[in-house]
Amino acid sequence: MAVQQEVPVHPQAGFFGEGPYPARRAAIAVVAVLAGFGLTAIWSAPFVDSVIGDSVANGLLGYDAKATPISGALAGTLFAFVSGLAGSFTACNIAAFGAVAPLVGGQAGEKRSPFKPLGWIAAGMLTVSIAYGVVVALVGTGMPQFSTAQTTGLSPRSIQSMVAFGVVGLVFLLMGLVALGIVGNPFAAFTRRHPAAPHVLMGALIGGFLIGRPYPLFRIMFRSAAEQHNVFYGAAAFALQSLGNIVLMAVLFLVLTYATRGRLQRWFAAKPTRIAAVTGAALLVGGTFTLLYWDVRVLGRLGIIWFPMVSW
């Protein structure tokens, strides 16, 4: 029986990397997709949104975040950051943690500041979130994301969520397949010239979460920005919401970078195929969950199709 060999292509692996790739790429992809499917089936939005999200927001703000109106721009910007932090583990944002593995793997064998890739992620994220905040301030409450009117079982807000998160999920899946070497990188020449591009793309995807986000605390901030029609407030609020979304992801990355005293990076560097394996798996789990949860499971919840869900 022939033994599968690892496929070396380039000494630097990463998401959108060029190898070396693990031998069991297909098996890793299947397991990651199944893990994303399992997470989708057992996910409890009431527990995560209310028990975790609301509790964190109420504790940090010192008042009932849902019941207390936002009193002004200053209060609104504080609310935006806190609600973003509180929503870190919601289904709207969970895929952001898929960036941790590429970030840690990218440090393997290199002596560079971990803040640089975080900066590129923030740059991509803030570009999208600030632009969207300006659009919300200009258009106001006429945006589909503001509407809950139902005509065919799906509200305009639900449709926008499905489109936005569907696109994000598909891009995550493509990045995961590229990282594993299952699919060729269509932008290989560009990413070789601009190695920060994958981080900027990841940041833009995280910023794009706000375009589909139905999280209750986010909707409160959305209403405030839409009704005030102040582009500076809209831009600041949406930027701070996104920054709050990645605080825990960034802390986790820095802990794995510094607290392990380089052991994790050395583990990756000792066998570079591990970078592709872990990176690809993380992106595939995040992409599968995002696509299934926001598109397929929504149809299942409406009774349009059947989708397994564990209620708790």
Side-chain angles (χ1 to χ4, degrees), residues 81-310:
F81 179 78
V82 170
S83 61
L85 181 61
S88 296
F89 290 107
T90 61
C92 327
N93 193 66
I94 200 68
F97 289 93
V100 174
L103 286 170
V104 174
Q107 297 294 110
E110 295 189 16
K111 294 182 179 180
R112 61 175 178 170
S113 170
F115 292 98
K116 188 172 182 179
L118 284 176
W120 285 117
I121 286 179
M125 177 188 71
L126 291 175
T127 298
V128 174
S129 57
I130 288 174
Y132 190 56
V134 170
V135 171
V136 169
L138 291 173
V139 178
T141 56
M143 297 188 67
Q145 197 170 5
F146 195 79
S147 175
T148 58
Q150 294 188 1
T151 54
T152 59
L154 289 171
S155 66
R157 186 174 71 200
S158 296
I159 294 172
Q160 183 169 331
S161 293
M162 293 176 71
V163 172
F165 283 109
V167 170
V168 169
L170 287 172
V171 176
F172 264 79
L173 288 171
L174 176 61
M175 292 171 70
L177 293 173
V178 168
L180 285 172
I182 295 174
V183 173
N185 180 3
F187 306 106
F190 180 81
T191 53
R192 277 195 294 270
R193 291 195 303 270
H194 306 281
H199 295 101
V200 175
L201 174 60
M202 178 65 75
L205 294 172
I206 295 172
F209 293 166
L210 301 190
I211 299 175
R213 178 166 246 181
Y215 180 47
L217 293 180
F218 171 72
R219 292 204 304 269
I220 295 172
M221 186 205 77
F222 186 100
R223 176 187 289 273
S224 176
E227 291 179 342
Q228 291 199 32
H229 294 289
N230 183 324
V231 294
F232 297 104
Y233 171 50
F238 277 67
L240 288 169
Q241 170 85 191
S242 279
L243 288 172
N245 287 162
I246 66 168
V247 166
L248 293 182
M249 179 272 286
V251 169
L252 177 59
F253 164 55
L254 294 174
V255 167
L256 291 174
T257 298
Y258 289 113
T260 62
R261 297 182 179 180
R263 285 191 291 270
L264 186 57
Q265 286 75 17
R266 289 193 294 272
W267 180 79
F268 275 120
K271 191 176 182 181
T273 54
R274 291 169 177 165
I275 301 175
V278 175
T279 296
L283 292 170
L284 287 175
V285 171
T288 301
F289 172 80
T290 301
L291 182 63
L292 291 182
Y293 186 90
W294 290 106
D295 286 79
V296 182
R297 180 168 153 152
V298 166
L299 298 178
R301 192 167 63 245
L302 293 172
I304 298 174
I305 64 171
W306 179 84
F307 187 84
M309 289 177 279
V310 178

Side-chain angles (χ1 to χ4, degrees), residues 52-75:
I52 298 178
D54 291 356
S55 298
V56 170
N58 295 344
L60 291 175
L61 292 171
Y63 58 80
D64 189 328
K66 285 183 177 177
T68 307
I70 296 176
S71 57
L74 183 60

